[in-house]
Amino acid sequence: MSEKLLTDLSINEEAEIVEIRGGRGMQARLRALGLSEGQHVKKLSHVGLGGPVVILVNRAQVAIGRGMARRIIVRSNDG
């Protein structure tokens, strides 16, 4: 298991959120989208050049900005 940024996941790679770094406002926004510590997510796609990252969480697709995604630390099984 290795920890990395959400943005560093490969397409279709699954991981568990272990930490969300950021202020209260950003954390509240992410929790409203269903993203919290312990939640399992799957990266579906990303748009290059600083575009959003699309993830699957609770059977819903969620697009978040790359800046927010860089503040989410995940644990994946890839080693």
Side-chain angles (χ1 to χ4, degrees):
M1 295 185 135
S2 64
E3 292 186 3
K4 54 182 143 181
L5 302 176
L6 179 62
T7 54
D8 294 337
L9 288 178
S10 302
I11 302 299
N12 290 322
E13 185 176 1
E14 296 183 27
E16 176 184 355
I17 297 174
V18 294
E19 182 180 355
I20 298 175
R21 297 176 179 162
R24 278 194 228 168
M26 190 186 92
Q27 290 196 19
R29 172 78 177 124
L30 291 173
R31 289 185 204 294
L33 293 171
L35 300 171
S36 60
E37 292 85 352
Q39 185 68 46
H40 291 271
V41 297
K42 179 179 181 180
K43 184 174 177 180
L44 297 178
S45 68
H46 69 270
V47 178
L49 302 175
V53 175
V54 180
I55 57 174
L56 183 68
V57 57
N58 292 332
R59 297 189 307 177
Q61 292 185 15
V62 175
I64 59 174
R66 184 164 301 274
M68 279 186 158
R70 284 187 181 139
R71 292 175 179 236
I72 299 173
I73 310 302
V74 297
R75 181 179 302 131
S76 67
N77 292 326
D78 69 346

